[in-house]
Amino acid sequence: MELKPVSLSSKNDIEKIFRTENSSSADYCFGNIYMWDKLYEQKFCIIEDRLVMLIGGMGEEYFSFPVGSGDIAPAFDEMRAYCTENGLTLKLCGVTDKHRALMESAFPDEFSYTPEREYFDYLYPIDKLISYSGKHLHAKKNHCNKFESENEWRFVSLTPELIPACEKMLEKWSEKEAERLSQSIINEHDAILRGFSDYVNLGLEGGVLLANGSIAGFAIGERLSETCFCEHFEKAFTDIPGAYPVVCREFAKMIKTKHPEICYVNREDDLGSPSLRQSKLSYQPELLLTKYTAVEL
């Protein structure tokens, strides 16, 4: 198994596999892999028609589930051989229910499965994010109304020309939020900058909220599957009331305009952060996409 680092030149080969998989999991879009690679130090190879991805940057080596098509056994044979050679136990992270079913069918009673709540993805109907309809989202609509009444604003596409200004906004955001910055948010900051540096080549899409002539927030994402869009990052100034729900709503509108077939937005996981979990739950997700860590027994 010849594992090689992830690079922009890997994009076409990896995305071909992801298109076949057509998963709603945020783990299976190239932009996410590339932007977070500084932290996770991923390596990959393709075994027959499946993608084998080794994640090794967190002090312990895991594989992701070998997505793609065809028999999963050849990929598992290679992963097991790697673990045997390196004195490791085979572990897979981000295993969805669909993947677990495939593993249990092919390898009954050979793995344990532990749900990892902090890595569950939050999926929302895009029309609900656009309208904030229903009593549970009424507060979001009120926050938007307040923002609109207090600001001269517009929401525009994030073009390469706007990236330097967004980087400055991100720096200001970090300064204002310095007291509560966790290591995960610092890692996220690095991932956003990596995404900005190769924004066009990665095929990312974004939107920028302008309020009174200044950037109040932005959002970045990419197409995930035939009917699901993945929002990777969303930033707004918390001292501008309503900025966050407006960014969320307007980005959903932009996505739907560009991609009318999109039905869901995956706004990724909460990394176990209580405040982030509360925020993501407040937008009333329709589905929490379960993910397991699978360990060979």
Side-chain angles (χ1 to χ4, degrees):
M1 185 166 63
E2 297 182 10
L3 294 163
K4 55 185 178 182
V6 172
S7 66
L8 283 174
S9 63
S10 316
K11 184 174 185 290
N12 289 339
D13 290 337
I14 292 176
E15 286 192 334
K16 182 180 178 181
I17 300 289
F18 287 164
R19 284 193 296 271
T20 299
E21 182 70 19
N22 197 36
S23 175
S24 294
S25 169
D27 297 335
Y28 303 116
C29 50
F30 183 79
N32 239 358
I33 290 172
Y34 183 82
M35 287 187 289
W36 287 94
D37 192 55
K38 178 181 176 182
L39 177 64
Y40 293 118
E41 299 175 6
Q42 298 147 113
K43 295 181 180 179
F44 81 100
C45 68
I46 295 173
I47 305 297
E48 296 187 4
D49 293 316
R50 290 194 172 270
L51 176 72
V52 172
M53 185 77 67
L54 177 67
I55 303 167
M58 298 294 288
E60 191 171 4
E61 292 188 323
Y62 288 79
F63 286 96
S64 60
F65 181 85
V67 294
S69 60
D71 188 3
I72 65 173
F76 272 82
D77 288 344
E78 293 290 349
M79 292 189 294
R80 281 169 162 159
Y82 176 90
C83 290
T84 298
E85 183 178 342
N86 291 278
L88 303 170
T89 299
L90 176 57
K91 299 178 182 180
L92 291 86
C93 60
V95 175
T96 66
D97 283 318
K98 173 187 172 182
H99 300 151
R100 177 177 177 173
L102 289 172
M103 291 176 63
E104 289 181 331
S105 176
F107 314 112
D109 302 319
E110 294 184 30
F111 289 86
S112 65
Y113 300 89
T114 303
E116 304 286 357
R117 175 62 180 83
E118 63 267 36
Y119 298 123
F120 287 14
D121 285 346
Y122 291 73
L123 273 71
Y124 306 80
I126 192 168
D127 291 340
K128 284 289 186 72
L129 296 181
I130 289 171
S131 65
Y132 289 145
S133 59
K135 64 179 182 179
H136 294 298
L137 292 172
H138 189 68
K140 302 295 183 189
K141 185 176 289 187
N142 287 341
H143 291 318
C144 289
N145 291 339
K146 179 176 177 62
F147 175 89
E148 291 169 345
S149 68
E150 294 179 350
N151 299 279
E152 290 291 333
W153 70 279
R154 59 194 178 105
F155 194 82
V156 300
S157 292
L158 200 172
T159 61
E161 292 75 20
L162 284 172
I163 285 177
C166 287
E167 290 175 337
K168 290 181 181 178
M169 179 266 169
L170 182 62
E171 290 296 332
K172 290 180 181 178
W173 183 92
S174 297
E175 290 172 4
K176 290 184 176 183
E177 303 291 332
E179 290 186 2
R180 71 176 190 88
L181 287 184
S182 63
Q183 187 58 49
S184 63
I185 294 178
I186 294 170
N187 293 336
E188 181 190 63
H189 183 113
D190 291 340
I192 294 172
L193 294 180
R194 185 171 170 84
F196 279 153
S197 68
D198 285 298
Y199 182 75
V200 174
N201 291 329
L202 288 170
L204 298 175
E205 300 178 47
V208 179
L209 178 64
L210 299 168
N212 308 314
S214 299
I215 293 179
F218 64 81
I220 306 169
E222 66 182 301
R223 180 75 170 267
L224 178 56
S225 70
E226 291 179 359
T227 58
C228 188
F229 190 94
C230 186
E231 183 184 84
H232 298 316
F233 305 112
E234 182 181 285
K235 293 296 177 190
F237 288 125
T238 54
D239 57 358
I240 302 178
Y244 263 114
V246 170
V247 170
C248 178
R249 183 193 67 186
E250 294 302 308
F251 192 44
K253 287 181 182 179
M254 181 176 287
I255 293 164
K256 192 68 174 179
T257 299
K258 291 183 177 180
H259 309 287
E261 67 282 5
I262 294 296
C263 299
Y264 290 92
V265 177
N266 182 326
R267 303 186 76 218
E268 302 195 357
D269 55 35
D270 60 35
L271 296 173
S273 164
S275 60
L276 191 54
R277 181 169 298 181
Q278 181 181 8
S279 174
K280 294 199 174 189
L281 288 172
S282 74
Y283 284 87
Q284 300 298 308
E286 182 175 294
L287 172 68
L288 291 180
L289 184 65
T290 304
K291 296 181 184 180
Y292 304 89
T293 295
V295 180
E296 189 168 31
L297 298 173

